[in-house]
Amino acid sequence: CEMCIRDRDRAVVREGDTTDSLFLLAAGNFIASRQDVVLDPLGPGEIIGEYALLTGAPRTATVKAVEDGLVFELPRAAMQPIMREHPQLITAMAMLMAERLQRKTPQGPSAEDIAKDLEKTARARLGL
C-alpha cells in the first residue's frame, strides 16, 4: 500500500489514464468530473478507481482534491492476491461501480445487471 498526500487542485486520477490502481480517500474533499462536467463530491472513506482495477479500462473521470487530503494508492499488483483470496471484494466493488453508473443513467440496465457483468469481467481478468 502506497501513501500519497494530494494538494488542493491536484488530480488523483485523470480521465483517460490507463493506470489501474485503486485509491482510498482517507482525508480531505475531492470532486469527480468527466469532460469538465462536475459529477460528484467525494470524501473520506470513499474509494475510486474500482472500474479501472476490475476491467483494465481507462479512467472514466478525473478526481481532484478541493483541499489538502490524504489518499492511499493500492496498485493492482497488491490488490490482485487480496481479491483472489477474498472474492467478495470483487462483488462489493462491482456493485459500488454499478450503483454509480446506474445513478448516471437510470433508464439503462439495473445496478444488479451491471454488477454481474463487471464481476464477470473482473473474475476473467484475475483468472478466477
Side-chain angles (χ1 to χ4, degrees), residues 1-2 20-24 53 72-76 78-79:
C1 175
E2 298 176 19
D20 58 3
S21 292
L22 181 74
F23 295 88
L24 171 63
L53 176 75
F72 291 95
E73 180 178 3
L74 300 131
R76 180 174 178 259
M79 288 297 298

Side-chain angles (χ1 to χ4, degrees), residues 2-8 10-12 23-24 26-28 30 65 67-73:
E2 298 176 19
M3 182 173 61
C4 316
I5 296 176
R6 300 292 182 175
D7 301 320
R8 184 175 351 134
R10 185 169 172 198
V12 178
F23 295 88
L24 171 63
F30 301 80
E67 62 188 22
D68 292 351
L70 177 64
V71 179
F72 291 95
E73 180 178 3

Side-chain angles (χ1 to χ4, degrees), residues 1-4 6 11-14 16-25 46-61 63 71-80 83 93 96-97 100 125:
C1 175
E2 298 176 19
M3 182 173 61
C4 316
R6 300 292 182 175
V12 178
V13 296
R14 293 193 182 281
D17 283 352
T18 57
T19 59
D20 58 3
S21 292
L22 181 74
F23 295 88
L24 171 63
L25 306 179
E46 295 194 67
I47 62 169
I48 60 170
E50 67 282 356
Y51 189 71
L53 176 75
L54 294 177
T55 68
R59 302 287 179 185
T60 59
V63 175
V71 179
F72 291 95
E73 180 178 3
L74 300 131
R76 180 174 178 259
M79 288 297 298
Q80 207 162 2
M83 290 188 297
M93 284 189 284
L96 172 66
M97 187 64 222
R100 288 177 177 170
R125 187 166 190 242

Side-chain angles (χ1 to χ4, degrees), residues 25-48:
L25 306 179
N29 290 300
F30 301 80
I31 196 82
S33 63
R34 184 177 303 126
Q35 298 175 349
D36 295 324
V37 174
V38 173
L39 301 173
D40 292 310
L42 302 165
E46 295 194 67
I47 62 169
I48 60 170

